[in-house]
mmCIF file of all heavy atoms in Angstrom:
data_model
loop_
_atom_site.group_PDB
_atom_site.id
_atom_site.type_symbol
_atom_site.label_atom_id
_atom_site.label_comp_id
_atom_site.label_asym_id
_atom_site.label_seq_id
_atom_site.Cartn_x
_atom_site.Cartn_y
_atom_site.Cartn_z
ATOM 1 N N GLY D 1425 36.687 -253.309 182.232
ATOM 2 C CA GLY D 1425 35.500 -252.726 182.710
ATOM 3 C C GLY D 1425 34.894 -251.608 181.895
ATOM 4 O O GLY D 1425 33.930 -251.061 182.299
ATOM 5 N N THR D 1426 35.537 -251.222 180.723
ATOM 6 C CA THR D 1426 35.083 -250.163 180.051
ATOM 7 C C THR D 1426 33.990 -250.463 178.943
ATOM 8 O O THR D 1426 33.248 -249.552 178.494
ATOM 9 C CB THR D 1426 36.201 -249.476 179.247
ATOM 10 O OG1 THR D 1426 36.790 -250.441 178.309
ATOM 11 C CG2 THR D 1426 37.300 -249.024 180.211
ATOM 12 N N THR D 1427 33.946 -251.775 178.586
ATOM 13 C CA THR D 1427 32.929 -252.188 177.646
ATOM 14 C C THR D 1427 31.943 -253.257 178.292
ATOM 15 O O THR D 1427 32.334 -254.091 178.983
ATOM 16 C CB THR D 1427 33.646 -252.876 176.486
ATOM 17 O OG1 THR D 1427 34.589 -251.981 175.873
ATOM 18 C CG2 THR D 1427 32.664 -253.339 175.415
ATOM 19 N N SER D 1428 30.709 -252.926 178.057
ATOM 20 C CA SER D 1428 29.657 -253.866 178.531
ATOM 21 C C SER D 1428 28.626 -254.159 177.465
ATOM 22 O O SER D 1428 28.473 -253.325 176.497
ATOM 23 C CB SER D 1428 28.889 -253.293 179.779
ATOM 24 O OG SER D 1428 28.524 -252.004 179.501
ATOM 25 N N ASN D 1429 27.991 -255.203 177.589
ATOM 26 C CA ASN D 1429 27.013 -255.727 176.580
ATOM 27 C C ASN D 1429 25.714 -256.209 177.375
ATOM 28 O O ASN D 1429 25.952 -256.929 178.356
ATOM 29 C CB ASN D 1429 27.633 -256.772 175.743
ATOM 30 C CG ASN D 1429 26.740 -257.254 174.625
ATOM 31 O OD1 ASN D 1429 25.913 -256.550 174.140
ATOM 32 N ND2 ASN D 1429 26.979 -258.456 174.116
ATOM 33 N N TYR D 1430 24.551 -255.917 176.882
ATOM 34 C CA TYR D 1430 23.376 -256.277 177.536
ATOM 35 C C TYR D 1430 22.316 -256.977 176.651
ATOM 36 O O TYR D 1430 22.291 -256.678 175.434
ATOM 37 C CB TYR D 1430 22.633 -255.116 178.218
ATOM 38 C CG TYR D 1430 23.441 -254.375 179.190
ATOM 39 C CD1 TYR D 1430 24.317 -253.353 178.877
ATOM 40 C CD2 TYR D 1430 23.407 -254.843 180.547
ATOM 41 C CE1 TYR D 1430 25.089 -252.769 179.862
ATOM 42 C CE2 TYR D 1430 24.151 -254.138 181.484
ATOM 43 C CZ TYR D 1430 25.008 -253.204 181.154
ATOM 44 O OH TYR D 1430 25.727 -252.546 182.157
ATOM 45 N N ALA D 1431 21.589 -257.957 177.197
ATOM 46 C CA ALA D 1431 20.508 -258.436 176.424
ATOM 47 C C ALA D 1431 19.391 -257.311 176.238
ATOM 48 O O ALA D 1431 19.293 -256.492 177.151
ATOM 49 C CB ALA D 1431 19.789 -259.617 177.168
ATOM 50 N N ASP D 1432 18.727 -257.385 175.144
ATOM 51 C CA ASP D 1432 17.699 -256.329 174.906
ATOM 52 C C ASP D 1432 16.624 -256.246 176.023
ATOM 53 O O ASP D 1432 16.148 -255.097 176.306
ATOM 54 C CB ASP D 1432 17.025 -256.581 173.565
ATOM 55 C CG ASP D 1432 17.968 -256.340 172.372
ATOM 56 O OD1 ASP D 1432 19.010 -255.656 172.546
ATOM 57 O OD2 ASP D 1432 17.588 -256.777 171.278
ATOM 58 N N SER D 1433 16.372 -257.381 176.614
ATOM 59 C CA SER D 1433 15.338 -257.403 177.592
ATOM 60 C C SER D 1433 15.639 -256.647 178.914
ATOM 61 O O SER D 1433 14.757 -256.338 179.657
ATOM 62 C CB SER D 1433 14.855 -258.851 177.895
ATOM 63 O OG SER D 1433 16.081 -259.556 178.377
ATOM 64 N N VAL D 1434 16.997 -256.461 179.141
ATOM 65 C CA VAL D 1434 17.331 -255.808 180.417
ATOM 66 C C VAL D 1434 18.054 -254.436 180.098
ATOM 67 O O VAL D 1434 18.353 -253.699 181.073
ATOM 68 C CB VAL D 1434 18.267 -256.724 181.219
ATOM 69 C CG1 VAL D 1434 17.703 -258.119 181.428
ATOM 70 C CG2 VAL D 1434 19.650 -256.824 180.520
ATOM 71 N N LYS D 1435 18.199 -254.133 178.825
ATOM 72 C CA LYS D 1435 18.942 -252.920 178.524
ATOM 73 C C LYS D 1435 18.218 -251.647 179.120
ATOM 74 O O LYS D 1435 16.988 -251.604 179.041
ATOM 75 C CB LYS D 1435 19.082 -252.753 177.033
ATOM 76 C CG LYS D 1435 20.180 -251.874 176.568
ATOM 77 C CD LYS D 1435 20.381 -252.063 174.995
ATOM 78 C CE LYS D 1435 20.946 -253.476 174.685
ATOM 79 N NZ LYS D 1435 21.127 -253.552 173.190
ATOM 80 N N GLY D 1436 19.000 -250.834 179.769
ATOM 81 C CA GLY D 1436 18.404 -249.578 180.406
ATOM 82 C C GLY D 1436 17.933 -249.850 181.811
ATOM 83 O O GLY D 1436 17.587 -248.892 182.637
ATOM 84 N N ARG D 1437 17.821 -251.155 182.236
ATOM 85 C CA ARG D 1437 17.377 -251.423 183.621
ATOM 86 C C ARG D 1437 18.505 -252.077 184.467
ATOM 87 O O ARG D 1437 18.551 -251.816 185.718
ATOM 88 C CB ARG D 1437 16.187 -252.356 183.537
ATOM 89 C CG ARG D 1437 15.013 -251.813 182.817
ATOM 90 C CD ARG D 1437 13.792 -252.749 182.910
ATOM 91 N NE ARG D 1437 14.030 -254.114 182.411
ATOM 92 C CZ ARG D 1437 13.902 -255.176 183.014
ATOM 93 N NH1 ARG D 1437 13.605 -255.224 184.317
ATOM 94 N NH2 ARG D 1437 14.103 -256.343 182.409
ATOM 95 N N PHE D 1438 19.394 -252.789 183.874
ATOM 96 C CA PHE D 1438 20.395 -253.534 184.507
ATOM 97 C C PHE D 1438 21.804 -252.854 184.273
ATOM 98 O O PHE D 1438 21.989 -252.369 183.051
ATOM 99 C CB PHE D 1438 20.514 -255.039 184.075
ATOM 100 C CG PHE D 1438 19.382 -255.841 184.578
ATOM 101 C CD1 PHE D 1438 18.177 -255.305 185.102
ATOM 102 C CD2 PHE D 1438 19.375 -257.235 184.457
ATOM 103 C CE1 PHE D 1438 17.126 -256.092 185.569
ATOM 104 C CE2 PHE D 1438 18.331 -258.045 184.818
ATOM 105 C CZ PHE D 1438 17.224 -257.432 185.361
ATOM 106 N N THR D 1439 22.737 -252.912 185.200
ATOM 107 C CA THR D 1439 24.065 -252.442 184.994
ATOM 108 C C THR D 1439 25.080 -253.413 185.581
ATOM 109 O O THR D 1439 24.955 -253.745 186.727
ATOM 110 C CB THR D 1439 24.197 -251.069 185.652
ATOM 111 O OG1 THR D 1439 23.303 -250.143 185.149
ATOM 112 C CG2 THR D 1439 25.608 -250.528 185.365
ATOM 113 N N ILE D 1440 25.935 -253.844 184.633
ATOM 114 C CA ILE D 1440 27.014 -254.760 185.128
ATOM 115 C C ILE D 1440 28.293 -253.906 185.459
ATOM 116 O O ILE D 1440 28.601 -252.867 184.796
ATOM 117 C CB ILE D 1440 27.330 -255.814 184.052
ATOM 118 C CG1 ILE D 1440 28.291 -256.876 184.663
ATOM 119 C CG2 ILE D 1440 27.834 -255.164 182.804
ATOM 120 C CD1 ILE D 1440 28.468 -258.053 183.710
ATOM 121 N N SER D 1441 28.945 -254.296 186.493
ATOM 122 C CA SER D 1441 30.210 -253.562 186.889
ATOM 123 C C SER D 1441 31.115 -254.621 187.506
ATOM 124 O O SER D 1441 30.759 -255.698 187.845
ATOM 125 C CB SER D 1441 29.927 -252.483 187.818
ATOM 126 O OG SER D 1441 29.332 -252.896 189.052
ATOM 127 N N ARG D 1442 32.433 -254.174 187.654
ATOM 128 C CA ARG D 1442 33.430 -255.091 188.221
ATOM 129 C C ARG D 1442 34.352 -254.256 189.063
ATOM 130 O O ARG D 1442 34.581 -253.130 188.760
ATOM 131 C CB ARG D 1442 34.145 -255.947 187.147
ATOM 132 C CG ARG D 1442 34.982 -255.164 186.192
ATOM 133 C CD ARG D 1442 35.483 -256.070 185.092
ATOM 134 N NE ARG D 1442 36.315 -257.226 185.587
ATOM 135 C CZ ARG D 1442 36.627 -258.219 184.901
ATOM 136 N NH1 ARG D 1442 36.221 -258.409 183.627
ATOM 137 N NH2 ARG D 1442 37.348 -259.257 185.489
ATOM 138 N N ASP D 1443 34.953 -254.973 190.046
ATOM 139 C CA ASP D 1443 35.999 -254.403 190.903
ATOM 140 C C ASP D 1443 37.180 -255.358 190.816
ATOM 141 O O ASP D 1443 37.223 -256.429 191.493
ATOM 142 C CB ASP D 1443 35.511 -254.147 192.279
ATOM 143 C CG ASP D 1443 36.506 -253.527 193.238
ATOM 144 O OD1 ASP D 1443 37.733 -253.546 192.854
ATOM 145 O OD2 ASP D 1443 36.119 -252.881 194.176
ATOM 146 N N SER D 1444 38.132 -255.077 189.963
ATOM 147 C CA SER D 1444 39.248 -256.093 189.762
ATOM 148 C C SER D 1444 40.031 -256.203 191.024
ATOM 149 O O SER D 1444 40.624 -257.221 191.252
ATOM 150 C CB SER D 1444 40.058 -255.539 188.586
ATOM 151 O OG SER D 1444 39.316 -255.621 187.394
ATOM 152 N N ALA D 1445 40.226 -255.137 191.783
ATOM 153 C CA ALA D 1445 40.990 -255.257 193.016
ATOM 154 C C ALA D 1445 40.390 -256.301 193.956
ATOM 155 O O ALA D 1445 41.052 -256.963 194.731
ATOM 156 C CB ALA D 1445 41.080 -253.841 193.675
ATOM 157 N N LYS D 1446 38.990 -256.349 193.973
ATOM 158 C CA LYS D 1446 38.397 -257.259 194.791
ATOM 159 C C LYS D 1446 38.002 -258.569 194.124
ATOM 160 O O LYS D 1446 37.423 -259.505 194.736
ATOM 161 C CB LYS D 1446 37.092 -256.637 195.419
ATOM 162 C CG LYS D 1446 37.319 -255.446 196.301
ATOM 163 C CD LYS D 1446 36.119 -254.859 196.832
ATOM 164 C CE LYS D 1446 36.369 -253.668 197.767
ATOM 165 N NZ LYS D 1446 35.067 -253.047 198.313
ATOM 166 N N ASN D 1447 38.334 -258.711 192.849
ATOM 167 C CA ASN D 1447 37.955 -259.871 192.129
ATOM 168 C C ASN D 1447 36.466 -260.203 192.100
ATOM 169 O O ASN D 1447 36.022 -261.348 192.377
ATOM 170 C CB ASN D 1447 38.759 -261.084 192.583
ATOM 171 C CG ASN D 1447 39.244 -261.993 191.465
ATOM 172 O OD1 ASN D 1447 39.245 -261.714 190.264
ATOM 173 N ND2 ASN D 1447 39.510 -263.251 191.852
ATOM 174 N N THR D 1448 35.660 -259.167 191.959
ATOM 175 C CA THR D 1448 34.206 -259.297 191.986
ATOM 176 C C THR D 1448 33.490 -258.650 190.679
ATOM 177 O O THR D 1448 34.089 -257.779 190.083
ATOM 178 C CB THR D 1448 33.585 -258.637 193.195
ATOM 179 O OG1 THR D 1448 33.915 -257.201 193.166
ATOM 180 C CG2 THR D 1448 34.156 -259.163 194.445
ATOM 181 N N VAL D 1449 32.363 -259.160 190.447
ATOM 182 C CA VAL D 1449 31.493 -258.545 189.398
ATOM 183 C C VAL D 1449 30.171 -258.465 189.989
ATOM 184 O O VAL D 1449 29.682 -259.286 190.759
ATOM 185 C CB VAL D 1449 31.566 -259.395 188.168
ATOM 186 C CG1 VAL D 1449 30.936 -260.778 188.387
ATOM 187 C CG2 VAL D 1449 30.764 -258.693 186.969
ATOM 188 N N SER D 1450 29.462 -257.377 189.615
ATOM 189 C CA SER D 1450 28.118 -257.114 190.220
ATOM 190 C C SER D 1450 27.135 -256.851 189.056
ATOM 191 O O SER D 1450 27.491 -256.514 187.922
ATOM 192 C CB SER D 1450 28.182 -255.853 191.078
ATOM 193 O OG SER D 1450 29.074 -256.186 192.221
ATOM 194 N N LEU D 1451 25.922 -257.005 189.440
ATOM 195 C CA LEU D 1451 24.764 -256.665 188.554
ATOM 196 C C LEU D 1451 23.678 -255.921 189.330
ATOM 197 O O LEU D 1451 23.049 -256.508 190.237
ATOM 198 C CB LEU D 1451 24.154 -258.006 187.981
ATOM 199 C CG LEU D 1451 23.032 -257.802 186.914
ATOM 200 C CD1 LEU D 1451 23.671 -257.196 185.659
ATOM 201 C CD2 LEU D 1451 22.361 -259.151 186.646
ATOM 202 N N SER D 1452 23.510 -254.602 189.008
ATOM 203 C CA SER D 1452 22.488 -253.835 189.605
ATOM 204 C C SER D 1452 21.249 -253.988 188.761
ATOM 205 O O SER D 1452 21.316 -253.724 187.500
ATOM 206 C CB SER D 1452 22.949 -252.372 189.674
ATOM 207 O OG SER D 1452 24.037 -252.220 190.597
ATOM 208 N N MET D 1453 20.140 -254.287 189.329
ATOM 209 C CA MET D 1453 18.928 -254.490 188.680
ATOM 210 C C MET D 1453 17.779 -253.620 189.115
ATOM 211 O O MET D 1453 17.434 -253.640 190.336
ATOM 212 C CB MET D 1453 18.450 -255.909 188.814
ATOM 213 C CG MET D 1453 19.495 -256.950 188.386
ATOM 214 S SD MET D 1453 19.002 -258.673 188.512
ATOM 215 C CE MET D 1453 18.655 -258.820 190.202
ATOM 216 N N ASN D 1454 17.330 -252.733 188.302
ATOM 217 C CA ASN D 1454 16.343 -251.718 188.623
ATOM 218 C C ASN D 1454 14.980 -252.091 187.842
ATOM 219 O O ASN D 1454 15.086 -252.768 186.787
ATOM 220 C CB ASN D 1454 16.724 -250.314 188.390
ATOM 221 C CG ASN D 1454 17.934 -249.983 189.221
ATOM 222 O OD1 ASN D 1454 17.944 -250.286 190.415
ATOM 223 N ND2 ASN D 1454 18.832 -249.337 188.635
#
């Protein structure tokens, strides 16, 4: 979860995160 990579078109607007304990990944889109 310490390294993330984004498409240029979404950089600065989207944030990817994960919760390994819950086995989930999320995408916050602003």
